Amino acid sequence: MSTSTATLVKQKVKTLAERLRNFRVYHRYLGLVLGVFVLISSTTGILLGWKKDVDLLQPLTQKGSSTDLQQWLPLAELSARSLAGLDSAAAINNNPIDRIEARLDKGIVKTIFKEGSWEVQLDASTGKVLSVARRHSDWIEKVHDGSIISDLFKLISMNVLGFGLLILSITGFFLWFYPRKIRKIKSE
């Protein structure tokens, strides 16, 4: 190998080694920052994956007496009975309703309240309270996506997490690729 070729090889190796050091720094610090988000997101994601199977996370969906909509009570009456059921079971009144979910195949309605992650399940035909319980999956979901802080934080944190993981993937590839390339150049 001539002196000019050896110099060229040394220069290539030096350039690649410098890039590799930069990628290591970016990868390390970005990984440390994103690690917190990934840890929270993955832990809460695992819990959310089990929410339908673990009663502590989300109450088991009860079964009503009829799936025939003609026999169901009016929505206004069901919402009033839900409010009364929450007050009676948990001594909570003036908790605004967030949404009412109808489960046609089960013959029930679930009333989800805005505060405290409460849920009341009613037999849609009789109006009987079947269950009053907390939905821990709701606040876990808010932690998972960042909306527990604010919708703006959710938007920013999910974008930072997405782009950060993309950058970690790219720098991780180069951390794997450049040492191989350096070894190949040195061996030639």
Side-chain angles (χ1 to χ4, degrees):
M1 182 174 348
S2 68
T3 313
S4 63
T5 308
T7 306
L8 186 61
V9 167
K10 282 184 180 180
Q11 185 60 38
K12 275 185 172 180
V13 168
K14 183 179 176 185
T15 302
L16 288 174
E18 199 173 295
R19 284 185 191 165
L20 185 60
R21 277 190 290 278
N22 288 336
F23 280 127
R24 276 196 185 111
V25 170
Y26 301 144
H27 193 82
R28 179 183 312 124
Y29 290 115
L30 186 58
L32 286 172
V33 170
L34 288 180
V36 174
F37 287 106
V38 169
L39 182 66
I40 291 168
S41 188
S42 61
T43 304
T44 55
I46 290 168
L47 290 172
L48 290 172
W50 284 93
K51 74 180 181 182
K52 300 269 187 199
D53 301 310
V54 177
D55 293 346
L56 179 65
L57 297 174
Q58 184 171 302
L60 183 67
T61 301
Q62 303 297 313
K63 198 160 176 70
S65 56
S66 175
T67 59
D68 180 12
L69 287 174
Q70 299 295 326
Q71 296 179 11
W72 283 24
L73 296 173
L75 197 55
E77 186 173 339
L78 291 171
S79 65
R81 289 185 185 217
S82 294
L83 288 165
L86 182 62
D87 186 27
S88 157
I92 297 173
N93 55 15
N94 298 326
N95 192 349
I97 293 174
D98 182 40
R99 65 187 183 275
I100 297 177
E101 299 175 358
R103 299 297 167 100
L104 301 175
D105 61 327
K106 300 277 188 174
I108 60 122
V109 293
K110 288 184 179 186
T111 305
I112 291 89
F113 294 87
K114 285 187 180 181
E115 298 168 6
S117 301
W118 286 99
E119 168 189 284
V120 174
Q121 294 183 39
L122 300 174
D123 183 316
S125 299
T126 65
K128 178 183 173 195
V129 175
L130 302 174
S131 167
V132 177
R134 286 205 159 174
R135 294 171 52 100
H136 294 288
S137 62
D138 287 356
W139 67 264
I140 291 170
E141 186 173 343
K142 288 179 181 179
V143 171
H144 179 72
D145 67 11
S147 63
I148 196 162
I149 295 173
S150 73
D151 284 338
L152 179 61
F153 180 80
K154 172 185 174 180
L155 180 67
I156 292 169
S157 67
M158 290 299 110
N159 278 288
V160 166
L161 187 59
F163 285 120
L165 289 174
L166 181 63
I167 292 168
L168 279 178
S169 298
I170 292 167
T171 58
F173 170 78
F174 285 110
L175 288 173
W176 167 82
F177 178 73
Y178 279 163
R180 286 179 155 33
K181 187 164 180 137
I182 291 171
R183 281 193 294 275
K184 184 178 179 187
I185 290 170
K186 284 183 176 179
S187 70
E188 291 176 348

